[in-house]
Amino acid sequence: MPDEDFDLERLAAYLHLDLNQVTKLAERGKLPGRKVAGVWRFAQAEIHHWLEERIGLSDSFELARVEEALARHREATAESPESITDMLPLVAIEIPFPARTRNSVITSMIDVAARTGWLWDPEKMSEAVRSREDMFPTALETGVALLHPRRPLGGILDRPFLALGITDRGVPFASQRGMLTDVFFLICSSEDRGHLQTLARLSRLLAEPGFLTALRGVTSAVAAHDLIVEQEGKLPN
């Protein structure tokens, strides 16, 4: 069952951590779990969000470790991890991105994603992204937002992919944080591990010195894609 709870052993295998490490994390309240009849249980959705938060707070070295652990699982299950370059087609890049408000950003990013033909239900994706943003905004202090639903929506996607929009001036996307956002990625994932691996790799790319400055300086989809190809190729393995 896709949403079956983890026990300690299955969670250790999922996270590629030693069983003793996972047990200590659980006992210290560092993992979102609960004891049922004296046995630890961990909801997959809660573990997914714990990992997502951890990725958001990680440095480049830890991001690389997270990505490596997720990649090992995908290799073991014959799933092929994709690069940011492969997941971001030219048709899904909009520069300049015309949106000026939070609502128009979400609507317009879904429209950009729908141009690929890989998003079968734009309205459902839009509702899911809005719900995620209402729960907790995905805008970062760097002026980048990583839009995505609370859980992957594989049933409305032909394949996992990304969309990108860059405005010519900042948008008050997470106004309660008092900052402006001008770079918007939409992450369209079909399953949790793939989403986390994409999030970790994209976060590594965004953390590369000079990358965001260069990305903000491009004037076309082709130039943005070429820059991502070049910078992703330089990421340490």
Side-chain angles (χ1 to χ4, degrees):
M1 295 287 291
D3 291 316
E4 182 182 353
D5 285 356
F6 292 114
D7 58 18
L8 282 170
E9 290 77 10
R10 290 183 62 232
L11 182 57
Y14 182 86
L15 297 175
H16 288 274
L17 294 175
D18 180 84
L19 178 59
N20 289 332
Q21 288 180 282
V22 174
T23 302
K24 288 178 182 178
L25 286 171
E27 296 290 353
R28 294 172 182 172
K30 301 296 185 180
L31 283 170
R34 65 198 184 283
K35 279 192 173 181
V36 179
V39 178
W40 278 105
R41 295 292 178 188
F42 307 88
Q44 289 200 24
E46 292 177 358
I47 290 297
H48 171 84
H49 292 302
W50 174 81
L51 274 168
E52 203 173 60
E53 291 176 0
R54 182 177 175 184
I55 288 171
L57 297 172
S58 297
D59 58 23
S60 295
F61 176 73
E62 188 171 359
L63 286 168
R65 292 182 60 190
V66 170
E67 187 184 353
E68 180 184 359
L70 293 165
R72 284 201 301 269
H73 170 84
R74 292 170 74 85
E75 289 168 2
T77 56
E79 299 174 11
S80 300
E82 292 189 80
S83 67
I84 300 303
T85 300
D86 291 338
M87 293 184 68
L88 181 62
L90 281 173
V91 71
I93 302 175
E94 185 79 2
I95 301 173
F97 185 57
R100 290 289 177 263
T101 66
R102 176 182 179 274
N103 284 336
S104 64
V105 164
I106 295 173
T107 299
S108 297
M109 284 301 298
I110 301 300
D111 289 343
V112 171
R115 296 193 308 224
T116 63
W118 298 334
L119 174 58
W120 298 328
D121 193 338
E123 184 175 345
K124 185 173 182 178
M125 178 64 77
S126 180
E127 290 174 358
V129 171
R130 290 179 196 280
S131 176
R132 173 66 173 83
E133 292 298 329
D134 288 341
M135 180 179 67
F136 190 80
T138 60
L140 307 173
E141 293 182 359
T142 54
V144 180
L146 305 177
L147 285 68
H148 58 271
R150 189 167 183 266
R151 294 295 301 274
L153 298 176
I156 64 172
L157 300 174
D158 179 70
R159 52 160 290 175
F161 69 98
L162 298 167
L164 168 63
I166 304 176
T167 62
D168 57 9
R169 63 178 183 270
V171 174
F173 190 70
S175 56
Q176 68 270 35
R177 295 187 184 182
M179 60 188 183
L180 299 178
T181 307
D182 61 349
V183 177
F184 300 91
F185 282 93
L186 173 64
I187 305 174
C188 299
S189 302
S190 57
E191 45 89 23
D192 285 343
R193 271 192 184 273
H195 171 73
L196 292 168
Q197 188 173 0
T198 297
L199 185 60
R201 188 161 188 81
L202 183 55
S203 297
R204 285 181 68 195
L205 187 63
L206 294 170
E208 282 296 293
F211 173 71
L212 271 177
T213 299
L215 187 62
R216 289 185 169 106
V218 302
T219 57
S220 70
V222 172
H225 196 268
D226 287 348
L227 175 65
I228 291 170
V229 170
E230 177 185 355
Q231 292 296 314
E232 188 173 21
K234 295 177 181 178
L235 287 179
N237 293 326

